[in-house]
């Protein structure tokens, strides 16, 4: 992360400068018009094209040259060496995490283009940056700090190919990038294992800026429904702060504002069960609407387990590019406004999420259970869901990009009452121990914990402590590779007793911010932890001991702990 340029000229000064310039050049006196500001690639091409990487760079360069009050930087480099730009916008302008904290406002991190064929987040975010900073009237930039990352999967964006190849279920534009990054990794399955340089850079940004809200911009690729955009909070039951707050206090308000202020119907993200054969066998006989997944490999779920608010945004893939940009633009703008309005509540939510684990080690009464496995709820609410009817064309012609051959959209929408599976329930909870202790050889897992912003200490000498060790009864390895991994699931049992811990063991106290994330990543039975992603494979043996031990009381470790090695990830150089 480097701050390249700080443009500190306020836009009002820019307007004055432009007026002076036009007067001196004997042009008619006029306030700046939209013609003075850069336009996005879609705006320049009547929405036939999306931005290439060079378009994004030149758009941002134009804003910089105009002196727009923005701070520009790079979160890091892709595997092909492209800088991933970020832009900070707020009034007054801040350019560092420390100055953002001093403002005392919520920090909102909005990311476009994680799946690079899903293009409108990138283009909407550029337009929004321009419009918010060029507006002299009060707006969300007066009450939040916005960090925009418009082209997160920059390498994937540059693999342009016809939409029929790269995004077959999408209504244009004609040429788009690919879903994966240049290493063929899906960045929205990478938030736990963090193998991609893009993920590692974004985790460093999360640690440094500690955004209160993370928004991830996508396009759907499933059902024909009646919503311009669908959304989701963090779905993990472990996201007890940001997940619940977003679901109950933010998203219902955003839905109403999208309808009344922008005439966009929006709804909880999902697909019709009839389109997802095999997803939910219990309800095969009935229609329903079901969301996707609760695991933290997905960015907005991960972000909820960090104790913050994550919001997934999915523009409707069968809408035109122009409409997808408009709905995404409106949704992000409304998020920024609402987060600004609720600033004190959101800031105190973040503070509570961080302080709760600090009490875990001190008072048994304060212990909170952490859900580490979950499933879709069995008793969904009933609600009306809008479906669009398709009809047969009578031949095998293509009626619209993204619509199956031989079918066409009818424009007929029906609201059908059905069960809505929009949340998950825990199937396995764990009470946080005072600490987890990792065997001395687990240096790779420790490096990854630190990348997640988790503080790890190291003991100098051998010690013993009351705790539990996990005896492995069975190791279930997924036969099919996924993201170059054979995911692992363990079954076994905890055995309580005095634990002998060798010198150079790594100690991870849960009494720190992100305590719930520590539990999720390290518990052997977690559905998306380090075990899942093969971090501990070489130490797993049927009948053997899991290399992470639960410790109930850290007070006896005494002076054997080398506190000097406790640097958190936020204090380390950022990968770049
Ligand atoms: Zn996506």
């Amino acid at each position: 992360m480097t701050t390249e340029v700080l443009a500190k000229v306020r836009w009002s000064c820019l307007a004055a400068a432009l007026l002076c310039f036009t007067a001196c050049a004997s042009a008619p006196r006029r306030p700046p018009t939209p013609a003075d500001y850069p336009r996005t690639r879609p705006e320049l091409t009547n929405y036939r094209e999306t931005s290439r990487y060079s378009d994004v760079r030149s758009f941002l360069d134009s804003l910089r040259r105009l002196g727009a009050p923005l701070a520009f930087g790079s979160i890091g480099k892709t595997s092909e060496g492209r800088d991933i730009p970020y832009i900070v916008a707020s009034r007054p302008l801040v350019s560092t995490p420390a100055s953002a904290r001093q403002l005392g406002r919520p920090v909102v991190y909005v990311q476009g283009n994680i799946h690079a064929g899903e293009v409108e987040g990138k283009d909407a975010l550029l337009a929004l940056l321009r419009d918010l900073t060029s507006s002299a009237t009060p707006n969300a930039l007066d009450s939040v700090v916005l960090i925009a990352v418009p082209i997160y999967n920059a390498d994937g964006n540059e693999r342009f190919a016809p939409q029929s190849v790269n995004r077959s279920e999408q209504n244009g534009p004609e040429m788009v990038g690919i879903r994966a990054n240049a290493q063929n990794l899906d960045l929205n399955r990478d938030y736990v294992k963090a193998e991609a340089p893009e993920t590692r850079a974004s985790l460093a940004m999360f640690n440094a800026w500690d955004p209160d809200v993370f928004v991830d911009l996508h396009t759907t690729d499933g059902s024909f429904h009646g919503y311009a955009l669908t959304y989701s909070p963090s779905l993990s039951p472990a996201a007890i702060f940001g997940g619940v707050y977003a679901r109950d206090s933010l998203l219902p308000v955003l839905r109403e504002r999208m309808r009344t202020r922008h005439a966009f119907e929006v709804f909880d993200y999902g697909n019709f069960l009839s389109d997802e054969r095999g997803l939910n066998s219990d309800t095969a006989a009935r229609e329903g609407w079901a969301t996707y997944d609760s695991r933290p490999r997905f960015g907005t779920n991960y972000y909820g387990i960090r104790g913050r608010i994550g919001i997934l945004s999915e523009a409707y893939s069968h809408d035109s590019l122009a409409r997808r940009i408009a709905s995404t633009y409106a949704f992000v703008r409304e998020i920024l406004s609402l987060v600004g309005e609720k600033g004190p509540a959101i800031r105190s939510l973040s503070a509570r999420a961080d302080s709760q684990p600090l009490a875990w080690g001190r008072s048994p009464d304060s212990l909170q259970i952490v859900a580490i496995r979950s499933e879709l709820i069995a008793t969904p609410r009933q609600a009306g869901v809008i479906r669009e009817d398709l009809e047969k064309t009578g031949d095998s012609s293509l009626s619209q990009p993204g619509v199956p051959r031989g079918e066409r959209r009818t424009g007929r929408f029906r609201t059908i009452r059905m069960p809505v599976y929009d949340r998950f329930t825990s199937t396995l909870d764990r009470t946080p121990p005072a600490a987890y202790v990792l065997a001395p050889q687990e240096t790779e897992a420790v490096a990854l914990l630190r990348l997640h912003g988790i503080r790890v200490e190291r003991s100098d000498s051998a010690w013993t402590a009351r705790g539990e060790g996990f005896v492995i009864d069975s190791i279930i390895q997924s036969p099919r590779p996924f993201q170059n991994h054979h995911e692992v699931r363990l079954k076994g049992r905890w055995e309580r007793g005095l634990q002998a811990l060798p010198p150079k063991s790594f100690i991870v106290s849960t009494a720190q911010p992100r305590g719930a994330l520590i539990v999720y990543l390290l518990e052997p039975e977690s559905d998306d932890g380090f075990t899942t992603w093969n971090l501990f494979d070489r130490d797993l043996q049927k009948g053997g001991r899991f290399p992470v031990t639960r410790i109930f009381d850290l007070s006896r470790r005494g002076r054997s702990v080398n506190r000097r090695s406790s640097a958190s990830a936020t204090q380390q150089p950022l990968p770049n």
Side-chain angles (χ1 to χ4, degrees), residues 494-511:
W494 289 101
E495 286 186 352
R496 195 166 284 206
L498 217 52
Q499 308 295 317
L501 302 158
K504 304 292 180 192
S505 298
F506 293 101
I507 304 166
V508 188
S509 166
T510 58

Side-chain angles (χ1 to χ4, degrees), residues 314-329:
E314 297 259 358
Y316 184 44
S317 68
H318 303 297
D319 274 344
S320 66
L321 176 61
R323 191 164 195 261
R324 299 199 317 262
I325 290 176
S327 62
T328 302
Y329 179 104

Side-chain angles (χ1 to χ4, degrees), residues 6 27 142 209 308 314 327 360 425:
L6 295 181
D142 301 301
W209 289 85
R308 298 288 183 269
E314 297 259 358
S327 62
W360 288 352
T425 185

Side-chain angles (χ1 to χ4, degrees), residues 167 169-170 218-222 225 230 269 314-318:
R167 282 286 295 160
E169 51 293 269
Q170 183 168 290
H218 293 251
T219 318
T220 63
D221 45 30
H225 57 61
T230 46
Y269 175 81
E314 297 259 358
Y316 184 44
S317 68
H318 303 297

Side-chain angles (χ1 to χ4, degrees), residues 114-115 118 167 179 188 217-221 312 314:
I114 183 170
H115 293 144
E118 305 169 12
R167 282 286 295 160
R179 179 181 180 88
N188 204 27
L217 304 175
H218 293 251
T219 318
T220 63
D221 45 30
L312 174 76
E314 297 259 358

